[in-house]
Amino acid sequence: MKVTVYRKEHFNAAHRLHNPNWTDEKNRMVFGKCNNPSFHGHNYDLIVKLRGPIDPDTGYVYDMKLLKDLMREHVINKFDHKNLNLDTHEFKNLNPTAENIAVVIWNILRDKIETTYELTVRLYETERNFVEYDGNIL
Amino acid sequence: MKVTVYRKEHFNAAHRLHNPNWTDEKNRMVFGKCNNPSFHGHNYDLIVKLRGPIDPDTGYVYDMKLLKDLMREHVINKFDHKNLNLDTHEFKNLNPTAENIAVVIWNILRDKIETTYELTVRLYETERNFVEYDGNIL
Amino acid sequence: MKVTVYRKEHFNAAHRLHNPNWTDEKNRMVFGKCNNPSFHGHNYDLIVKLRGPIDPDTGYVYDMKLLKDLMREHVINKFDHKNLNLDTHEFKNLNPTAENIAVVIWNILRDKIETTYELTVRLYETERNFVEYDGNIL
Amino acid sequence: MKVTVYRKEHFNAAHRLHNPNWTDEKNRMVFGKCNNPSFHGHNYDLIVKLRGPIDPDTGYVYDMKLLKDLMREHVINKFDHKNLNLDTHEFKNLNPTAENIAVVIWNILRDKIETTYELTVRLYETERNFVEYDGNIL
Amino acid sequence: MKVTVYRKEHFNAAHRLHNPNWTDEKNRMVFGKCNNPSFHGHNYDLIVKLRGPIDPDTGYVYDMKLLKDLMREHVINKFDHKNLNLDTHEFKNLNPTAENIAVVIWNILRDKIETTYELTVRLYETERNFVEYDGNIL
Amino acid sequence: MKVTVYRKEHFNAAHRLHNPNWTDEKNRMVFGKCNNPSFHGHNYDLIVKLRGPIDPDTGYVYDMKLLKDLMREHVINKFDHKNLNLDTHEFKNLNPTAENIAVVIWNILRDKIETTYELTVRLYETERNFVEYDGNIL
């Protein structure tokens, strides 16, 4: 009997979308106002989803207190109130689109959570634009 | 590496649920107050979901600006501030239930978006009643 | 010691904005797509606010169950799943803008609730457009 | 052609997380403040999801009025304004974690809804902690 | 130049509405299912509102970090994951209605915040029922 | 008969809290992680509130289409996807706290909207921290 559990956290960050292999003109054309060289920012909502069996002793799939602590220690503390392009090594050479941020967070958490749990990461850049990554290639 | 991206838009429309092959009495019994001949209406929230690979040049699965434009040009402009039964050819002979509206929107967008992207449409009729269609028959 | 209590309900209705003293052209110019002759519709959220003293026996300013019943009997049942222009006598000769709907609802409820309670009505036409009426002329 | 429909309801309940086979100390260590012997409580949001074919006569996958009635009669009336540990037989010997509550609700509804419909239950304990159960063991 | 600032926190608690001077029958009649002797519970959302001048050195009316700490230390820690009737001295002899909880929280915070700031407390018992107290008797 | 109308818009921006008259150490102590020299960012929600009489010809207090256009032209276009400290002259010498941003927006809009309308600006920096300014000094 498998159940899926979800935990929501959030962080606030600045970023800029930019491809260093392109001209400024092409960057402006493709990324529009998201290419602003002075950066802009977002309140990101992050939902982590784990699927696994219920532990009969606790009635838990995963201790939400533990998941909250993992998310805060390894994701929120790293990105909250930061400039993703300037302050984090993950986005030194990777464009901080919502898609790439979700993949980066998934990789960080995949290392911390036993593989018996299927892991999915959902990231809201705004209420209207959001993405999800589950590690699958198909 | 596949990622899912989501975009939310909304439209406001009037509609009436009615089956012309049934008596008025049966229509009232089945559809209740949704059968009101003078129509009623909703604020519909529409979430379009695309699953595909990340483009390494942009870091995007799909340009959200382009998806927003497609949704507005082909869906929102067609249904917003309209009477679905009277003003649209799609529902001239199709009951505008949330289910059917979602299928119609899916068909409209499926024609506009390359099939390398899996497409799913979620439609909120109210905060409490919503539907989802992904084109699968199973 | 005065406390303010709030109760939220909702209804779904169709309407059309139109001034019969104007030409069709002027109506279209002023009301835009809200002037659609076939109507459009909304999910209206209604918040009623009462300010008064706490009853020391109950700890209530007003019994929320009673307020819910008043709202449902006198407002929701009247407007839910209706066409405001065609199905209600209140808007036979009054343009059903959010402002006018709020005033109409305030007048309905003012008659049912003792004047020891200050009454305010807030009406959401959409998440982004909403109005409030408290009966004051200043 | 299969479509998924969703209906949201809610209930307010008290509960306590506790394993009677453990010492008080271990219970406090594992469940923290959720182990408070005097109970605490939540506003639970329940979303029921049904997947099935659209009935061509109604345009419905499932009559939402009927689903609402099933949810209220068999779930909401049973749990709303109750103490899950003391007032319900389901949690006399089962720890009322969100996971277990979701499984219990799924089992209740699975009996009432034809198996042609795939059934999933999502339960929000808070806006930040929620779970989902679909009856699958894989 | 006065500005109003708001901070939202939340807590989860169990409670029971009951007047010990009344018969059980009258309690059940007045408070309905909220009178359940085994308690029920809620996710309470608390919004604290302060009105005061902007400090020209900081650009703050009040340091939100400080307000958050005050709310957590004096309100959230006291009520979160508690049974309001059994675990708190404030409601030993006071019915824990939303109105009374708001007044109690206002009194707690009024003692901790300089009177140059006007203080208002808003408390959501559910999304649909909420109250506000500002200390005024008119 | 006066009614209040509200319109919500949003913008995404980067900012940094900093007082140039203070040492770096004092800035870090007072503003904490909001003082990050590389900036961070937010999704700001802006609600503009106008109070005035209902125009008997339109049933409007103020044309929401016009208010939306004013907000987009004079506020959203100026701040959206910008770095408030670097890209806007308003915050060249003014700390971009939520309080100061609200006052700046109020001053911009006060010039564009006739003084027969009382004007209030509410700004959400996050869902949990928000401010309101109405131009009053008391």
Side-chain angles (χ1 to χ4, degrees):
Chain A
M1 195 165 68
K2 287 207 169 174
V3 170
T4 310
V5 297
Y6 302 77
R7 171 76 196 168
K8 183 162 89 163
E9 292 289 329
H10 73 274
F11 60 95
N12 310 316
H15 78 153
R16 177 203 188 188
L17 302 188
H18 185 74
N19 181 335
N21 301 319
W22 289 348
T23 62
D24 285 357
E25 197 188 354
K26 178 152 188 195
N27 269 294
R28 274 194 301 273
M29 199 187 62
V30 172
F31 295 120
K33 53 189 183 176
C34 299
N35 184 241
N36 179 2
S38 314
F39 311 100
H40 65 284
H42 295 290
N43 302 334
Y44 290 94
D45 269 330
L46 170 66
I47 297 178
V48 169
K49 172 180 168 180
L50 296 180
R51 184 172 168 84
I54 295 181
D55 176 330
D57 287 334
T58 58
Y60 283 164
V61 164
Y62 200 90
D63 184 338
M64 285 295 100
K65 172 73 172 60
L66 178 58
L67 180 55
K68 177 170 95 170
D69 290 346
L70 280 176
M71 291 168 73
R72 294 199 175 174
E73 182 181 351
H74 300 289
V75 179
I76 305 306
N77 286 353
K78 184 187 284 282
F79 296 138
D80 188 33
H81 282 74
K82 295 292 170 57
N83 183 310
L84 299 179
N85 305 64
L86 301 181
D87 296 336
T88 75
H89 71 88
E90 285 85 353
F91 299 104
K92 276 286 181 295
N93 301 301
L94 181 67
N95 204 10
T97 58
E99 289 90 330
N100 281 334
I101 303 171
V103 172
V104 161
I105 292 173
W106 189 90
N107 285 325
I108 291 171
L109 292 173
R110 187 66 290 180
D111 266 2
K112 310 293 175 194
I113 293 168
E114 307 86 309
T115 53
T116 45
Y117 299 98
E118 294 168 52
L119 170 67
T120 305
V121 161
R122 178 178 281 207
L123 185 75
Y124 287 80
E125 192 171 89
T126 68
E127 192 201 356
R128 296 184 158 234
N129 288 335
F130 46 107
V131 305
E132 198 171 77
Y133 181 60
D134 60 11
N136 292 327
I137 53 172
L138 292 183
Chain B
M1 194 165 69
K2 287 208 169 174
V3 171
T4 310
V5 297
Y6 303 77
R7 171 75 196 169
K8 183 162 89 164
E9 292 287 330
H10 72 274
F11 60 94
N12 310 316
H15 78 155
R16 177 203 189 189
L17 301 187
H18 185 73
N19 181 334
N21 301 319
W22 289 348
T23 62
D24 285 358
E25 197 187 355
K26 177 151 189 196
N27 269 294
R28 273 193 300 272
M29 198 186 61
V30 172
F31 294 121
K33 53 190 182 174
C34 298
N35 183 242
N36 178 2
S38 314
F39 311 100
H40 65 284
H42 296 290
N43 301 335
Y44 290 95
D45 268 329
L46 170 65
I47 296 178
V48 170
K49 172 181 169 180
L50 295 180
R51 184 172 169 84
I54 296 181
D55 177 329
D57 287 334
T58 57
Y60 283 165
V61 164
Y62 201 91
D63 184 339
M64 284 295 99
K65 172 72 173 60
L66 179 58
L67 180 56
K68 178 172 94 171
D69 290 347
L70 280 175
M71 291 169 72
R72 293 199 176 175
E73 183 181 351
H74 300 289
V75 180
I76 306 305
N77 285 353
K78 184 188 282 283
F79 297 137
D80 188 33
H81 282 74
K82 295 291 170 55
N83 183 310
L84 299 178
N85 305 65
L86 300 181
D87 296 335
T88 75
H89 72 85
E90 284 85 354
F91 300 105
K92 277 286 182 294
N93 300 303
L94 182 67
N95 204 10
T97 57
E99 289 91 330
N100 281 336
I101 302 172
V103 172
V104 161
I105 291 174
W106 190 92
N107 285 325
I108 291 172
L109 291 173
R110 186 66 288 178
D111 267 2
K112 309 294 174 191
I113 293 169
E114 306 87 308
T115 53
T116 45
Y117 298 99
E118 295 168 51
L119 170 67
T120 305
V121 161
R122 178 177 282 206
L123 184 76
Y124 287 80
E125 192 172 88
T126 69
E127 192 201 356
R128 297 185 158 234
N129 288 334
F130 47 107
V131 305
E132 198 171 77
Y133 181 59
D134 59 12
N136 291 326
I137 53 173
L138 293 183
Chain C
M1 194 165 68
K2 288 207 168 174
V3 171
T4 309
V5 297
Y6 302 77
R7 171 75 196 168
K8 183 163 88 163
E9 293 287 330
H10 72 274
F11 59 95
N12 309 317
H15 78 154
R16 176 203 189 190
L17 301 188
H18 185 73
N19 181 335
N21 301 319
W22 290 348
T23 62
D24 285 358
E25 197 188 355
K26 177 151 189 196
N27 270 293
R28 274 193 300 274
M29 198 186 62
V30 172
F31 295 119
K33 53 191 182 173
C34 299
N35 183 241
N36 179 1
S38 315
F39 311 100
H40 64 284
H42 295 290
N43 302 334
Y44 290 94
D45 269 330
L46 170 67
I47 297 177
V48 169
K49 173 180 169 181
L50 295 181
R51 185 172 169 84
I54 296 181
D55 176 330
D57 287 334
T58 58
Y60 283 165
V61 164
Y62 202 90
D63 183 339
M64 284 295 100
K65 172 73 173 60
L66 178 58
L67 181 55
K68 178 171 94 170
D69 290 346
L70 280 176
M71 290 168 72
R72 293 198 176 176
E73 182 181 352
H74 300 288
V75 180
I76 305 306
N77 286 353
K78 182 187 286 282
F79 296 137
D80 188 34
H81 282 73
K82 295 290 170 57
N83 183 311
L84 299 179
N85 305 65
L86 300 182
D87 296 336
T88 73
H89 71 87
E90 284 86 352
F91 299 104
K92 279 284 182 294
N93 301 301
L94 181 68
N95 204 12
T97 58
E99 289 90 330
N100 280 336
I101 303 171
V103 171
V104 161
I105 292 172
W106 189 91
N107 284 325
I108 291 171
L109 291 173
R110 186 66 289 178
D111 266 2
K112 309 293 175 193
I113 293 168
E114 306 86 309
T115 53
T116 45
Y117 298 99
E118 295 168 53
L119 170 67
T120 305
V121 161
R122 178 178 282 207
L123 185 75
Y124 287 79
E125 191 171 88
T126 69
E127 191 199 357
R128 296 184 159 234
N129 288 335
F130 47 106
V131 306
E132 198 171 78
Y133 181 59
D134 61 11
N136 291 327
I137 52 171
L138 293 184
Chain D
M1 195 166 67
K2 289 208 168 172
V3 171
T4 309
V5 298
Y6 302 79
R7 171 74 196 169
K8 183 163 89 163
E9 293 288 331
H10 71 273
F11 60 95
N12 310 317
H15 78 154
R16 177 204 188 188
L17 301 187
H18 185 74
N19 181 335
N21 302 319
W22 289 347
T23 61
D24 285 358
E25 197 186 356
K26 178 153 189 195
N27 269 294
R28 273 194 301 272
M29 198 186 62
V30 173
F31 295 120
K33 53 191 182 174
C34 299
N35 183 241
N36 179 1
S38 314
F39 311 101
H40 65 284
H42 295 291
N43 301 333
Y44 290 94
D45 269 329
L46 171 66
I47 297 178
V48 169
K49 173 180 168 180
L50 295 180
R51 185 172 168 84
I54 297 181
D55 175 330
D57 287 334
T58 58
Y60 283 164
V61 164
Y62 201 90
D63 184 339
M64 285 294 100
K65 172 72 172 61
L66 179 57
L67 180 56
K68 177 171 95 171
D69 290 347
L70 281 175
M71 291 168 73
R72 293 197 177 176
E73 182 181 351
H74 300 289
V75 179
I76 306 304
N77 286 353
K78 183 187 284 282
F79 296 137
D80 189 33
H81 282 74
K82 295 292 169 57
N83 183 310
L84 299 178
N85 305 65
L86 300 181
D87 297 334
T88 74
H89 72 87
E90 284 86 354
F91 299 105
K92 277 286 182 293
N93 301 303
L94 181 67
N95 204 11
T97 58
E99 290 89 331
N100 281 335
I101 302 172
V103 172
V104 161
I105 292 173
W106 189 91
N107 285 325
I108 291 172
L109 291 174
R110 186 65 290 179
D111 266 1
K112 311 292 174 193
I113 294 169
E114 306 86 308
T115 54
T116 45
Y117 298 100
E118 295 168 52
L119 170 67
T120 305
V121 161
R122 179 178 281 207
L123 184 76
Y124 287 79
E125 191 170 270
T126 69
E127 192 201 355
R128 298 185 157 232
N129 288 334
F130 47 107
V131 306
E132 198 171 78
Y133 181 60
D134 60 13
N136 290 327
I137 53 172
L138 291 183
Chain E
M1 195 165 67
K2 288 208 169 173
V3 171
T4 309
V5 298
Y6 302 78
R7 171 76 197 169
K8 182 163 88 162
E9 293 288 329
H10 73 273
F11 59 95
N12 310 315
H15 77 154
R16 177 203 190 189
L17 301 188
H18 185 74
N19 182 335
N21 302 319
W22 290 347
T23 62
D24 285 358
E25 196 187 357
K26 177 151 191 197
N27 270 293
R28 274 194 301 272
M29 198 186 62
V30 173
F31 295 120
K33 53 190 182 174
C34 299
N35 183 241
N36 179 0
S38 314
F39 311 100
H40 64 284
H42 295 291
N43 301 334
Y44 290 94
D45 269 330
L46 170 66
I47 297 178
V48 169
K49 173 180 168 182
L50 295 181
R51 185 173 169 84
I54 296 181
D55 177 330
D57 287 333
T58 58
Y60 284 164
V61 165
Y62 201 91
D63 184 338
M64 283 294 100
K65 173 73 172 60
L66 179 57
L67 181 55
K68 177 171 95 170
D69 290 346
L70 280 176
M71 290 168 72
R72 293 199 176 175
E73 183 182 350
H74 300 289
V75 179
I76 305 305
N77 286 353
K78 184 187 285 281
F79 297 137
D80 188 34
H81 282 72
K82 296 290 169 57
N83 183 308
L84 299 179
N85 304 65
L86 300 181
D87 296 335
T88 74
H89 71 86
E90 285 86 353
F91 299 104
K92 278 285 181 295
N93 300 301
L94 181 67
N95 204 11
T97 58
E99 289 90 329
N100 280 335
I101 302 171
V103 171
V104 161
I105 292 173
W106 189 91
N107 284 326
I108 291 171
L109 291 174
R110 186 66 290 178
D111 265 2
K112 310 293 175 193
I113 293 168
E114 306 85 311
T115 52
T116 45
Y117 299 99
E118 295 168 52
L119 170 67
T120 305
V121 161
R122 179 179 281 207
L123 185 76
Y124 288 79
E125 192 171 88
T126 69
E127 192 200 355
R128 297 185 158 233
N129 288 336
F130 46 107
V131 306
E132 198 171 78
Y133 180 59
D134 60 11
N136 291 328
I137 52 171
L138 292 184
Chain F
M1 196 166 69
K2 289 207 167 173
V3 171
T4 310
V5 296
Y6 302 77
R7 171 75 195 169
K8 183 162 87 164
E9 292 288 330
H10 72 274
F11 59 95
N12 310 317
H15 77 154
R16 177 203 189 189
L17 301 188
H18 186 73
N19 182 334
N21 301 320
W22 290 347
T23 62
D24 285 358
E25 196 189 355
K26 177 151 190 196
N27 269 293
R28 276 194 299 273
M29 198 186 63
V30 172
F31 295 120
K33 52 191 183 174
C34 298
N35 183 240
N36 179 1
S38 314
F39 311 101
H40 65 285
H42 295 291
N43 301 333
Y44 290 94
D45 269 330
L46 170 66
I47 297 178
V48 169
K49 172 179 167 181
L50 295 181
R51 184 172 169 84
I54 296 181
D55 176 331
D57 287 334
T58 58
Y60 283 165
V61 165
Y62 201 90
D63 184 339
M64 284 293 101
K65 172 73 172 60
L66 179 57
L67 180 56
K68 177 170 95 171
D69 290 347
L70 280 175
M71 290 168 73
R72 294 199 175 174
E73 183 181 352
H74 300 289
V75 179
I76 306 305
N77 286 353
K78 183 188 285 281
F79 296 137
D80 189 33
H81 282 72
K82 295 291 169 56
N83 183 309
L84 298 179
N85 305 65
L86 300 181
D87 296 335
T88 74
H89 71 87
E90 284 86 352
F91 299 105
K92 278 286 181 294
N93 301 301
L94 181 67
N95 204 11
T97 57
E99 289 89 329
N100 280 335
I101 303 171
V103 171
V104 161
I105 292 173
W106 189 90
N107 285 325
I108 291 171
L109 292 173
R110 185 67 290 178
D111 267 1
K112 311 292 176 192
I113 292 168
E114 306 87 310
T115 53
T116 45
Y117 298 99
E118 294 168 53
L119 169 67
T120 304
V121 161
R122 179 178 281 206
L123 184 77
Y124 287 80
E125 192 172 88
T126 69
E127 192 201 355
R128 297 184 158 234
N129 288 334
F130 47 107
V131 305
E132 197 171 77
Y133 180 59
D134 60 11
N136 290 327
I137 52 171
L138 292 185

